[in-house]
Amino acid sequence: MGGQLADGNLGPVNDVESFAIDMLLLHGDTPRDLQAHEELAEALPEADLGEPDELGVFEITVGADDLEGALQKVWDAVAASGTDDHILFLEHPELPEHWRPRSGRTAG
């Protein structure tokens, strides 16, 4: 695996890029949050999930064509595993109204 770059990109792995996505267990090391971590790992079998630290922060390394694709894979896995009440993205996207395309809001 390549070295980590400033944008979170870890470099090429098997003809796809590898991206590190920082996540947070919302309630620390509670049994339910640790179970949610395991459930997320099952929903992302192609990714490498690190172990949570003392604050509940952990890293997911996932392959994708770009950072947006990596974030989408993790987003989809959190939704599919039903762990969204226990696991959060550590860094929120810095895009204004980034949620609108996925919100399902009807046009006015």
Side-chain angles (χ1 to χ4, degrees):
M1 198 179 304
Q4 186 164 3
L5 304 175
D7 64 357
N9 184 340
L10 297 177
V13 175
N14 300 330
D15 296 329
V16 292
E17 297 292 319
S18 184
F19 295 89
I21 310 298
D22 293 324
M23 305 295 285
L24 174 69
L25 293 177
L26 187 57
H27 308 105
D29 64 353
T30 63
R32 179 60 187 109
D33 275 11
L34 296 176
Q35 179 184 355
H37 182 268
E38 291 175 18
E39 292 168 352
L40 181 58
E42 291 171 8
L44 271 174
E46 73 281 3
D48 179 31
L49 270 71
E51 290 300 316
D53 67 12
E54 66 277 356
L55 299 175
V57 175
F58 65 99
E59 184 176 272
I60 299 174
T61 304
V62 63
D65 292 333
D66 55 22
L67 180 58
E68 184 174 338
L71 290 168
Q72 187 66 52
K73 281 185 179 183
V74 175
W75 176 287
D76 291 347
V78 169
S81 63
T83 57
D84 55 317
D85 286 339
H86 301 278
I87 298 177
L88 306 173
F89 286 86
L90 186 59
E91 294 186 31
H92 205 270
E94 294 181 26
L95 301 171
E97 301 186 273
H98 67 277
W99 49 269
R100 282 203 186 270
R102 292 182 179 90
S103 71
R105 184 174 179 184
T106 58

